Amino acid sequence: MKINDPAVLAEVEAAFAEYERALTTNDVATLDRLFKDSPATLRYGVAENLYGHAEIAAFRSARSPVGLERALERTVITSYGEAMATANTLFRRASMVGKVGRQSQTWVKFPEGWRVVAAHVSVIAE
């Protein structure tokens, strides 16, 4: 199994960038598309535990679009073979003075493209 094949990394980096644009612009349709539409998909957030695509989509559609802008730091994307990757990043928001956010995602390549199958978001004091 090849780790960090440049072609695979480029695909995942593009999917991650698409996700980030959708997140900060509250493009709910794209966010929903980039999470695997499956009851097995999960997302642990800062204040919520979401099991299955339906719960994740419901959270996204109810979320306020205010204050979603953020700056990423130390983003690390690693691919394993041709169909699995992880993306981890730190993030900062103007509303989170003295805190840093952490986001991790597991991406899998399906026939329809790269999709997040598990995600975790947390915030800690610096």
Side-chain angles (χ1 to χ4, degrees):
M1 173 186 304
K2 188 167 186 179
I3 296 175
N4 287 339
D5 177 277
V8 176
L9 274 178
E11 290 178 11
V12 180
E13 288 167 351
F16 181 82
E18 182 181 16
Y19 171 86
E20 187 63 22
R21 279 190 306 276
L23 180 71
T24 59
T25 61
N26 202 40
D27 179 350
V28 175
T30 298
L31 292 170
D32 286 348
R33 179 178 51 80
L34 290 174
F35 271 71
K36 178 65 177 167
D37 189 353
S38 167
T41 301
L42 66 88
R43 179 185 179 277
Y44 292 151
V46 174
E48 65 284 338
N49 299 318
L50 306 170
Y51 293 87
H53 189 272
E55 287 185 15
I56 297 166
F59 166 79
R60 293 274 189 223
S61 68
R63 184 176 184 187
S64 170
V66 177
L68 297 176
E69 300 82 17
R70 63 189 193 166
L72 301 184
E73 297 177 5
R74 302 191 72 178
T75 301
V76 177
I77 297 174
T78 307
S79 66
Y80 301 90
E82 297 179 2
M84 191 268 186
T86 59
N88 294 276
T89 193
L90 300 177
F91 64 89
R92 296 181 191 277
R93 287 197 164 110
S95 62
M96 298 182 353
V97 177
K99 297 182 179 183
V100 62
R102 304 176 296 175
Q103 173 183 294
S104 62
Q105 298 171 326
T106 302
W107 291 79
V108 175
K109 189 174 186 179
F110 293 94
E112 66 270 23
W114 287 96
R115 300 294 183 261
V116 176
V117 297
H120 184 192
V121 179
S122 59
V123 176
I124 59 171
E126 287 197 75

